[in-house]
């Protein structure tokens, strides 16, 4: 075993110890103070060993992914790989969700008392509902919104209202929407990695993007939908700066604007976008119209919601107050500021922890001729992955992400997964990844 492999194992062991420490310390805090409000710290879950209809499919897909995933990623045509990754990711998410059964695992997830579908009937007049949206955010306000509705800008709720309007009623259709759209995030990341770094690194990362433990929380939560929108915003920006495409820049801006109106915290994707713009600075200088198209696209969604009467900044201010009125005011910052990172280990897997350490040691010289083309590609990818990790750390230190980050941080987590492209012995690491997902979904009942 060479030195790099030993370092990889040490990195994974440290990450595993972080999760174990978060579990032990969290249990101690709950036994004496009961302030974590999560059930099975550091995850929002409870211990519930079980199998279900999705178990056989999940086990077979996991075995197939470990055995054939790296082989397929290396040999499929690029179009087949991206479409196949989307399809395989969808199958993996569905199989894990169905371990809890179609009803409990999918159909009712978005219909509970905290969720978006609870308020569909209050959006008969969408402009009117948006105009008075902020009046119902605080807990003591009349007819206050459920937690997830109050905790996000209204684009999330409006999405489910529109699904209902076109005849896709109920939690089953809403869940299917989140899984189908959310699964496309892996294809978006592949497109971005290929455009910004190299096709070889994208192919190496592909199996880890498909079979990430994050799939447990991608099915079924609205955050899976948010993840895909943010991922495609970055992917289209990568295409825009590498192909100098004005259309891609405008589409990217449109999705960035939507991202900010799906979740307040996803404004931190500006850090990831900034890394893409740094890598594409030559294209921006050569074609300034790209910046104009990006800005114009980004203005569309904020303009529409503002004209409808929704004030993003006022709503966020009220949300901060609501956050501390509820569990956010009870959950201890001193625990969650590091236990959140343990949640990130669970959703990204031990392989990603090892890959991040490798990425951190990648040479950062990007000038042509300063390193081999492979070194340049790795350094470019390291910048994007590093910006995602920085965004996650900012979210962590803000104190507005105390617990439930295994779900809330899915949009950031998918951009950490490409770090697995640095690893050797892909099948062994993939095995560790799928085992985490299978164990979590068979031993715990996750919820939000």
């Amino acid at each position: 075993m060479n030195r790099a492999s030993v370092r990889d194992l040490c990195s994974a062991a440290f990450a595993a110890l972080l999760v174990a420490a978060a579990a032990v310390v969290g249990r101690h805090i709950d036994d004496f103070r009961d302030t974590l409000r999560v059930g099975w710290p550091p995850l929002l879950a409870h211990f519930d060993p079980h199998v279900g209809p999705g178990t056989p499919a999940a086990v077979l897909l996991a075995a197939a992914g470990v055995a054939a995933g790296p082989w397929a990623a290396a040999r499929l045509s690029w179009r087949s790989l991206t479409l196949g990754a989307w399809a395989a990711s969808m199958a993996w998410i569905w199989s894990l969700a169905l371990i809890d059964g179609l009803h409990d695992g999918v159909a009712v997830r978005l219909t509970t008392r905290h969720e978006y579908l609870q308020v569909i009937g209050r959006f008969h007049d969408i402009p009117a509902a948006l105009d008075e949206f902020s009046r119902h955010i605080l807990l003591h306000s009349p007819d206050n919104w459920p937690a997830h509705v109050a905790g996000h800008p209204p684009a999330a709720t409006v999405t489910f209202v529109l699904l209902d309007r076109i005849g896709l009623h109920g939690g089953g259709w809403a869940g299917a929407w989140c899984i189908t759209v959310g699964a496309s995030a892996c294809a978006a990341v592949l497109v971005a990695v290929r455009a910004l770094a190299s096709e070889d690194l994208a192919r190496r990362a592909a199996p880890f993007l498909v079979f990430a433990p994050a799939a447990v929380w991608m099915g079924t939560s609205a955050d899976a939908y948010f993840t895909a929108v943010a991922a495609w915003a970055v992917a289209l920006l990568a295409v825009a700066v590498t192909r100098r495409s004005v259309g891609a820049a405008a589409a990217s801006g449109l999705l960035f604007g939507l991202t900010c109106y799906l979740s307040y915290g996803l404004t931190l994707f500006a850090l990831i976008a900034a890394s893409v713009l740094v890598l594409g600075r030559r294209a921006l200088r050569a074609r300034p119209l790209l910046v104009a198209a990006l800005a114009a696209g980004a203005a569309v969604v904020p303009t529409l919601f503002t004209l409808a009467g929704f004030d993003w900044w006022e709503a966020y201010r009220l949300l901060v107050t609501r956050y501390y009125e509820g569990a956010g005011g009870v959950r201890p910052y001193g625990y969650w500021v590091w236990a959140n990172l343990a949640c990130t280990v669970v959703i990204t897997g031990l392989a990603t922890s090892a890959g991040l350490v490798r990425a951190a040691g990648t040479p950062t010289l990007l000038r042509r001729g300063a390193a081999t083309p492979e070194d340049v590609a790795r350094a470019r990818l390291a910048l994007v992955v590093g910006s995602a990790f920085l965004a996650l750390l900012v979210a962590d230190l803000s104190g507005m992400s105390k617990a439930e980050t295994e779900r809330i941080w899915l949009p950031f987590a998918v951009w950490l997964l490409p770090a697995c492209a640095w690893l050797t012995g892909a099948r062994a690491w993939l095995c560790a990844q799928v085992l985490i997902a299978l164990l979590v979904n068979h031993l715990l009942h996750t919820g939000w």
Side-chain angles (χ1 to χ4, degrees):
M1 184 179 295
N2 59 35
R3 183 176 299 179
S5 297
V6 172
R7 186 171 62 247
D8 291 343
L9 291 175
C10 290
S11 302
F14 178 81
L17 286 173
L18 179 65
V19 176
V24 171
V25 174
R27 180 55 56 197
H28 176 78
I29 292 173
D30 258 359
D31 287 344
F32 288 91
R33 299 180 190 172
D34 191 27
T35 56
L36 299 187
R37 308 287 179 87
V38 290
W40 202 87
L43 304 177
L44 182 65
H46 63 265
F47 189 63
D48 179 26
H50 63 286
V51 295
T55 296
V59 172
L60 287 174
L61 280 169
V66 172
W71 179 90
R75 289 166 177 79
L76 290 174
S77 69
W78 179 251
R79 182 183 294 274
S80 296
L81 176 60
T82 51
L83 293 176
W86 184 359
S89 177
M90 205 177 343
W92 178 233
I93 296 170
W94 270 109
S95 67
L96 292 171
L98 291 175
I99 290 172
D100 295 328
L102 182 60
H103 180 265
D104 291 345
V106 178
V108 300
R109 288 295 180 107
L110 293 170
T111 63
T112 63
R113 64 189 182 93
H114 297 303
E115 286 289 356
Y116 303 95
L117 268 64
Q118 288 290 322
V119 301
I120 296 294
R122 294 171 62 179
F123 276 76
H124 292 302
D125 185 338
I126 294 177
L130 293 177
D131 184 50
E132 63 177 22
F133 188 88
S134 296
R135 300 174 198 167
H136 305 292
I137 291 177
L138 296 178
L139 273 177
H140 62 265
S141 61
D143 298 320
N144 64 81
W145 299 120
H148 288 185
V149 177
H152 296 82
T157 306
V158 169
T159 298
F160 295 109
V161 170
L162 293 177
L163 286 176
D164 185 76
R165 291 275 179 90
I166 64 173
L168 303 180
H169 311 295
W173 283 113
W177 164 266
C178 290
I179 291 175
T180 303
V181 176
S184 73
C186 70
V189 177
L190 287 177
V191 169
V193 172
R194 185 195 191 210
L196 297 172
S198 72
E199 185 173 320
D200 177 64
L201 288 173
R203 289 179 178 275
R204 289 172 61 86
F208 294 95
L209 284 160
V210 171
F211 291 99
V216 172
W217 291 272
M218 295 283 275
T220 306
S221 74
D223 295 84
Y225 162 47
F226 307 164
T227 298
V229 173
W232 281 109
V234 175
L236 287 168
L237 183 59
V239 170
V241 300
T242 53
R243 299 183 185 176
R244 303 187 181 184
S245 168
V246 173
S252 173
L254 182 66
L255 291 182
F256 271 119
L258 177 57
T259 296
C260 294
Y261 277 71
L262 289 171
S263 174
Y264 297 103
L266 294 186
T267 53
L268 290 172
F269 257 75
L271 293 172
I272 304 176
S275 71
V276 177
L277 294 176
V278 167
L279 294 176
R281 59 191 180 276
R282 291 182 181 176
L284 297 177
R285 285 196 295 264
R287 198 171 190 192
L289 189 57
L290 293 172
V291 178
L294 178 67
V300 172
V301 172
T303 299
L304 291 175
F305 276 91
T306 301
L307 290 175
F310 174 72
D311 186 331
W312 192 98
W313 291 104
E314 173 67 8
Y316 179 70
R317 183 186 67 79
L318 293 170
L319 166 65
V320 173
T321 301
R322 163 113 183 214
Y323 182 73
Y324 286 100
E325 286 178 335
V330 177
R331 288 168 171 161
Y333 180 86
Y335 171 78
W336 287 111
V337 74
W338 61 273
N340 283 336
L341 301 179
C343 293
T344 304
V345 170
V346 177
I347 63 176
T348 59
L350 300 179
T352 304
S353 301
L356 286 172
V357 173
R358 286 226 190 185
T362 299
T364 56
L365 292 174
L366 295 177
R367 290 183 305 156
R368 186 179 298 276
T372 66
E374 182 180 2
D375 288 338
V376 172
R378 287 172 181 262
R380 291 170 69 87
L381 178 56
L383 179 62
V384 177
V385 171
S387 68
F389 190 69
L390 177 61
L392 186 148
L393 288 179
V394 173
D396 190 29
L397 294 173
S398 73
M400 290 296 290
S401 296
K402 289 184 288 188
E404 303 182 54
T405 51
E406 65 271 19
R407 170 184 57 81
I408 298 169
W409 287 356
L410 286 172
F412 303 114
V414 297
W415 291 98
L416 302 181
L417 296 170
C420 296
W422 271 265
L423 300 175
T424 56
R427 285 188 175 85
W429 287 111
L430 266 177
C431 188
Q433 298 289 88
V434 298
L435 278 175
I436 291 173
L438 291 173
L439 286 172
V440 167
N441 230 28
H442 282 95
L443 295 178
L444 303 176
H445 182 82
T446 58
W448 38 84

